[in-house]
Amino acid sequence: MHRKRLAAAVLLAAALTGALAPAAAAHPGRPGHPDAVQRQLDLLTARDGVPGALAYDGRTTRTSGVADLESGRPMTDERGRFRLASDTKAFTATAVMRLVVDGRLGLGDRAGAYVPQLADSPITVRQLLKQTSGLPEYSALVDWTRPGTPEEYLALALDAEPVFEPGTNWGYSNTNYLVLGMVIDEVSGVDFRTYVERTILRPLHLDDTYWPAPGELDLRGPHARNYGVHPAHPQDGRVDVTELPGYEFGASGGLVSTPVDLNAFWDGLFGGRLLPGWAVRLMTRDTTDIGGRDVYPAGSRYGYGLASIPLGCGGVYWGHGGDLPGGSVGGGRATGGRGTVTVYTTTWAAEGAGLRHLQGAVDAALCAEGHSKSPSSRGRWGVYVRTPRRVGSRA
């Protein structure tokens, strides 16, 4: 029972921290120098208390710190597994767009047409994707000491007051993607996990990416240990929080992957291997200005499970990001053929200096000299995302 309560409390904190909100991109000294990436990782481990950090740009893997505080073993490489947390939302959004492309779902469809609990709600699929539904955060209302179903979690959110009227504002809520998982279930006829496997993981050969099984707490294969402050016992300080009930994170944050696979997902999505060009452009043009909200810098925008973040060298990168008490992840694919990068830490690094240095590593990697126009970053599929200057349409 103690183990179950511990895992449940960590889940609550994970749901509450949701997305990794990017800070203003740190512009390392001597921008564009490859060592700028390593400097940011070393700041994370030397100054910010991060046990281990990694950056992988498709060609070079840089690490700092250790994978295990007890044994001191070296940090894992680009094939080590870690929890994607809210990066999962980009996979869920892509799966929804696959149903739209196939004519099985409409962006303007009311979610209530597929989820009976929302039968009387005007909320649309588009608003769920864009985080403009006004649905309150369900995770803050759940009794995580006992198992629950998506329907039960949604009922808790619907019993609370809406944050705003649908389509009138923007507000990050894991409830939006909880509902989208339910929509995928109904429209596809299979569990959303199975649908994501069929339409994304298998076509891209993401063999090291998986949905945890019910009750599965540990990570499969090689991985670093994760550390964080247990929300139920903060007096204990930082403890090992590697074991988490990943299955319960669902469509909002349940996937486990590797830097190699996550980069391949971004390249596959923006390279046209998962969706036609018009669908990807819609995901990145039908956006909301979120600059200045929370800790998003000026110029940031949120589309369909994707966010654009300005780069210090010009242009933007598109990704998502996510955090758990035991880790944070950032990165994505940059405009202008500058490539793709994944950066992650083995403890929560979603505010202050830790966040600045994590995002600084992303910025330095994508702005590095010689990174632009590399064969691995341009892709051969011909779908390139334009900068937010051309983005203006709203739901």
Side-chain angles (χ1 to χ4, degrees):
M1 177 61 69
H2 174 72
R3 184 182 186 191
K4 182 181 293 185
R5 287 179 179 272
L6 184 151
V10 173
L11 171 60
L12 172 59
L16 287 173
T17 54
L20 172 64
H27 301 159
R30 298 165 64 196
H33 193 285
D35 288 345
V37 182
Q38 188 66 52
R39 285 200 298 273
Q40 297 297 307
L41 297 183
D42 290 343
L43 287 170
L44 282 162
T45 57
R47 295 188 185 179
D48 305 329
V50 172
L54 177 147
Y56 176 64
D57 65 6
R59 298 171 302 178
T60 303
T61 302
R62 296 177 176 87
T63 65
S64 187
V66 297
D68 186 336
L69 288 175
E70 184 174 346
S71 68
R73 65 185 170 92
M75 184 61 183
T76 51
D77 63 16
E78 69 279 1
R79 294 192 178 278
R81 291 196 171 109
F82 67 102
R83 300 185 191 277
L84 291 189
S86 284
D87 256 27
T88 302
K89 291 181 175 65
F91 289 74
T92 299
T94 300
V96 169
M97 290 303 293
R98 182 71 259 170
L99 292 170
V100 172
V101 168
D102 291 344
R104 303 171 69 182
L105 181 66
L107 291 171
D109 290 355
R110 290 190 307 105
Y114 311 102
V115 179
Q117 288 167 279
L118 293 172
D120 297 327
S121 170
I123 291 172
T124 66
V125 171
R126 178 184 283 107
Q127 290 165 349
L128 295 171
L129 288 166
K130 296 181 64 178
Q131 306 271 15
T132 60
S133 73
L135 285 172
E137 178 61 60
Y138 79 92
S139 65
L141 308 171
V142 172
D143 175 6
W144 292 109
T145 63
R146 64 176 184 84
T149 65
E151 290 77 12
E152 290 172 339
Y153 297 156
L154 178 57
L156 292 173
L158 295 179
D159 283 342
E161 287 295 320
V163 181
F164 50 81
E165 289 298 313
T168 63
N169 206 335
W170 182 88
Y172 190 92
S173 174
N174 286 291
T175 309
N176 290 313
Y177 280 74
L178 170 76
V179 174
L180 286 172
M182 299 167 75
V183 171
I184 294 172
D185 290 349
E186 178 65 23
V187 177
S188 70
V190 297
D191 180 79
F192 68 84
R193 297 172 180 84
T194 299
Y195 189 74
V196 167
E197 290 171 357
R198 290 178 181 175
T199 59
I200 300 175
L201 305 189
R202 292 178 191 170
L204 293 181
H205 303 290
L206 306 185
D207 298 330
D208 291 326
T209 302
Y210 68 92
W211 296 101
E216 183 176 12
L217 299 180
D218 210 347
L219 296 172
R220 305 173 194 171
H223 61 275
R225 305 299 296 179
N226 298 100
Y227 302 90
V229 175
H230 190 292
H233 306 288
Q235 70 276 7
D236 293 341
R238 185 168 61 187
V239 296
D240 190 313
V241 291
T242 307
E243 294 187 351
L244 294 173
Y247 180 85
E248 301 298 329
F249 296 176
S252 292
L255 277 172
V256 174
S257 190
T258 68
V260 170
D261 275 10
L262 184 55
N263 281 8
F265 166 72
W266 296 126
D267 288 340
L269 174 61
F270 294 118
R273 296 183 61 188
L274 296 175
L275 298 170
W278 66 263
V280 178
R281 288 191 292 271
L282 190 58
M283 294 176 76
T284 57
R285 291 184 181 180
D286 183 9
T287 61
T288 301
D289 180 359
I290 55 173
R293 303 193 189 200
D294 298 322
V295 290
Y296 284 90
S300 298
R301 305 192 71 91
Y302 197 95
Y304 298 179
L306 301 169
S308 67
I309 313 300
L311 285 168
C313 52
V316 304
Y317 69 92
W318 285 90
H320 197 280
D323 345 281
L324 296 166
S328 289
V329 54
R333 182 174 168 109
T335 57
R338 285 192 169 274
T340 308
V341 70
T342 290
V343 178
Y344 79 89
T345 62
T346 59
T347 195
W348 189 75
E351 65 179 2
L355 180 57
R356 290 195 300 273
H357 295 145
L358 189 154
Q359 290 297 327
V362 173
D363 191 88
L366 295 176
C367 289
E369 293 176 3
H371 203 305
S372 62
K373 304 183 187 305
S374 67
S376 62
S377 66
R378 292 190 67 87
R380 61 190 180 91
W381 301 97
V383 178
Y384 294 98
V385 182
R386 299 180 180 178
T387 65
R389 286 191 298 270
R390 295 178 181 265
V391 182
S393 58
R394 299 174 184 267

